[in-house]
Amino acid sequence: MDNRAGEMLVFVRVAETGSFSEAARQLRMTPSTVSKLVGRIEQRLGVRLVERSTRRLALTDEGRTYHERSLALLADLDDLEQGLAQGSPRISGTVRVNASVALGVHVLEPLLPAFWQAHPDVQVDLSLSDDVVDLYLERTDVAFRIGALASSSLVAVRIGATRRHIVAAPDYLARHGTPRGMEDLEGHNCLGFNFRRSAPVWPFRQAGRVVDRVVRGGLLANNGETVRRMAIAGVGLARLGHFHVAADIAAGRLVTVLDDAGGGDVEEINALHLGTQRIPGRIRAFLDFVVPRMRAAIGNGG
């Protein structure tokens, strides 16, 4: 009996765990059985899908393609069975979503109630983190990223761009003075981030070029929302996206500084998903609903 769907499920688990033994443990199979099933797929296709020479299994180019297509086919199968079981053609299933804390709280979360009104049978598994997640390893369907994208097989859907402002609470500026140039930052508490990709520098324009200014402060946080709250509390200066602090600026809780010196650099915002030719219905429905609304909320560099 042809059981290619079962073999695909095994291969997907191997690809996501990077280990025959861990995949076997999760699937309640023996490692030798898992290895044989992957070998059977390779023999049938006539290509190597997994490199076994390293401590952690690595997918070949063919393996990555097979993994992506397997995810799409298995998702389609889930959609089909759930739709038939419920006696309704309505879209159902789970969409696993990752976003930064700020983007999730201020832009994405407000859209979800209306999304569920349109698609009540879709479950959104939402994780908010400023860490960059691996969509394959974390089994994530859609990830919203701010900033430059690394080259990958993922498909990027542009949302827009956000201008970053240097902001502070009026109370902080009253106590410490308003910086007029980047050299004034030496005497200020510049709130920063502690994740690995973050550098303790803020970019400024000087003599027609961009100069990175090293900054220091009493806080290093793993998410922008904590930095925002500390800035509102009068702790120090913060460099944050426009969508993140626009309401605070309008309400007078924060004010911008050093705009002319370059506190207005712009970063792209994209939605990423796996590069499959056939996107499962639940993921397509989610993207079709939230992307245009996020574009309207964020704008193009505002």
Side-chain angles (χ1 to χ4, degrees):
M1 182 179 294
D2 191 338
N3 188 28
R4 280 182 287 181
E7 291 177 351
M8 283 182 179
L9 180 60
V10 171
F11 178 78
V12 165
R13 198 59 56 87
V14 169
E16 291 173 346
T17 62
S19 166
F20 286 135
S21 58
E22 178 58 22
R25 186 189 68 79
Q26 293 183 13
L27 295 169
R28 298 184 180 180
M29 304 169 72
T30 65
S32 62
T33 299
V34 170
S35 179
K36 289 177 182 177
L37 287 172
V38 173
R40 182 187 301 172
I41 301 172
E42 292 178 321
Q43 185 177 18
R44 183 173 66 246
L45 298 177
V47 296
R48 183 176 292 277
L49 301 176
V50 178
E51 292 290 354
R52 299 166 172 81
S53 59
T54 58
R55 290 178 58 188
R56 179 180 174 85
L57 298 178
L59 298 183
T60 63
D61 289 343
E62 293 80 5
R64 284 189 286 273
T65 298
Y66 190 79
H67 178 231
E68 293 175 3
R69 297 298 302 275
S70 294
L71 285 172
L73 289 170
L74 290 171
D76 284 345
L77 182 59
D78 285 343
D79 289 346
L80 171 63
E81 291 187 346
Q82 290 185 23
L84 292 176
Q86 295 170 3
S88 170
R90 292 195 304 184
I91 295 172
S92 62
T94 299
V95 181
R96 297 174 178 85
V97 181
N98 174 269
S100 70
V101 177
L103 194 66
V105 170
H106 293 274
V107 181
L108 182 57
E109 285 182 5
L111 302 177
L112 294 180
F115 171 76
W116 283 315
Q117 288 183 353
H119 302 286
D121 298 324
V122 175
Q123 180 186 62
V124 177
D125 185 340
L126 177 61
S127 297
L128 300 183
S129 170
D130 283 22
D131 290 329
V132 175
V133 302
D134 187 310
L135 273 69
Y136 293 103
L137 296 180
E138 300 297 331
R139 302 183 67 187
T140 300
D141 297 312
V142 179
F144 295 96
R145 299 264 173 87
I146 302 176
L149 298 176
S151 177
S152 74
S153 61
L154 300 175
V155 175
V157 179
R158 188 178 186 273
I159 303 294
T162 185
R163 185 171 299 276
R164 289 194 174 269
H165 300 294
I166 297 175
V167 295
D171 174 66
Y172 173 86
L173 297 177
R175 287 182 285 114
H176 299 278
T178 300
R180 302 300 179 185
M182 66 179 187
E183 63 279 357
D184 295 338
L185 294 178
E186 187 68 30
H188 282 274
N189 188 22
C190 299
L191 311 180
F193 297 92
N194 60 13
F195 33 79
R196 286 178 293 178
R197 71 183 189 280
S198 176
V201 296
W202 289 353
F204 291 91
R205 290 187 299 271
Q206 188 177 59
R209 62 191 182 95
V210 176
V211 177
D212 287 337
R213 175 77 180 188
V214 176
V215 295
R216 295 178 177 83
L219 173 71
L220 295 175
N222 68 353
N223 69 88
E225 187 63 7
T226 295
V227 173
R228 168 184 165 269
R229 290 171 181 169
M230 290 300 99
I232 292 173
V235 173
L237 301 174
R239 176 176 168 267
L240 298 168
H242 179 79
F243 74 87
H244 195 180
V245 294
D248 299 316
I249 294 171
R253 292 185 292 268
L254 294 172
V255 297
T256 63
V257 299
L258 297 175
D259 286 337
D260 293 338
D265 51 303
V266 175
E267 290 188 322
E268 294 286 313
I269 301 177
N270 291 276
L272 302 183
H273 63 85
L274 299 179
T276 56
Q277 293 181 353
R278 167 71 170 87
I279 302 175
R282 65 189 188 283
I283 299 175
R284 172 54 61 197
F286 180 80
L287 289 171
D288 287 348
F289 187 91
V290 303
V291 165
R293 290 165 175 81
M294 292 180 72
R295 284 173 177 161
I298 292 171
N300 192 28

